[in-house]
Amino acid sequence: MTDSVSTQADLKLEEALAASGARDPREFYRERLRELKDTNPAGYGEAVAYYRETLLPAVAGGSRKPLAAWTEYGRVLAQSLAPGRTVSIDESGRAHPYEGNSAEGLVLHLPDDQGRRALLVGLPPGLTDAQRATYDVLVSGKQRTRDGAGLGS
C-alpha cells in the first residue's frame, strides 16, 4: 500500500461522509482494533492486512462505495472479536441478514456467545425510536426504556 492509496481512500471516505451525513467510523474501529490486539493477536494481524490489502485499495480504486466498504471492515473486526452473525436493523426495528453491500441502517454483530452483548458495526446518520431501543438493549444492555419503565412491564 502506498501513501497515495491511503490518501485517496481517505478523501473518498470524507466525501461520502459529507454527502451522506453519516458518522465517521474510523475512531470507533480503532477502539475495536485495540481490543482485538489485546485479545486476539492473530485476528489483529488479519484485520490490519484486510485494511491495507482490501479496504484501502477498494475504496481508493472505486470498486466499493466507501461507507459500505468501511461497514464491511467493521463486520470483519466484530467477527474477529466474537464469532457470530451480523444483522441490519431497519427503521421499524426488524433484523435482516446483513448483505455486505450497504451502509444503511443500524448494523449489529450478534456474538454466538450469548453472554456477550451485540457489537456495533454501523450507525445510520440518525436512529429511529425502534433502532434506538434495539441499540439500547442489545449493545448498551439497558433494561429500562427512556421513559424509565422496565422492559416487559
Side-chain angles (χ1 to χ4, degrees):
M1 175 187 68
T2 65
D3 285 340
S4 64
V5 170
S6 179
T7 300
Q8 185 65 22
D10 284 345
L11 288 173
K12 288 189 177 193
L13 176 60
E14 293 292 337
E15 290 170 359
L17 291 170
S20 68
R23 300 169 192 191
D24 190 336
R26 291 176 288 191
E27 185 57 38
F28 176 72
Y29 292 160
R30 283 184 197 107
E31 290 176 29
R32 289 275 185 245
L33 275 169
R34 284 190 286 275
E35 181 182 356
L36 190 56
K37 187 176 185 179
D38 291 342
T39 62
N40 181 352
Y44 172 80
E46 291 169 10
V48 170
Y50 182 96
Y51 172 82
R52 291 180 179 154
E53 299 167 11
T54 303
L55 175 66
L56 292 181
V59 173
S63 65
R64 298 257 345 244
K65 292 181 180 178
L67 294 175
W70 274 93
T71 301
E72 178 60 16
Y73 182 58
R75 188 203 63 78
V76 168
L77 292 173
Q79 183 68 29
S80 294
L81 283 166
R85 65 187 176 100
T86 305
V87 297
S88 180
I89 309 298
D90 69 19
E91 292 178 348
S92 73
R94 298 186 90 181
H96 304 277
Y98 170 69
E99 298 293 328
N101 57 2
S102 174
E104 297 174 13
L106 173 62
V107 180
L108 302 177
H109 183 75
L110 308 174
D112 291 338
D113 175 359
Q114 295 192 5
R116 184 162 181 162
R117 290 186 185 148
L119 300 172
L120 177 64
V121 174
L123 280 171
L127 293 172
T128 65
D129 289 343
Q131 289 171 324
R132 169 60 64 190
T134 301
Y135 176 91
D136 286 349
V137 171
L138 297 180
V139 177
S140 298
K142 293 181 182 176
Q143 298 299 310
R144 298 202 170 274
T145 61
R146 289 185 176 268
D147 64 7
L151 296 177
S153 48

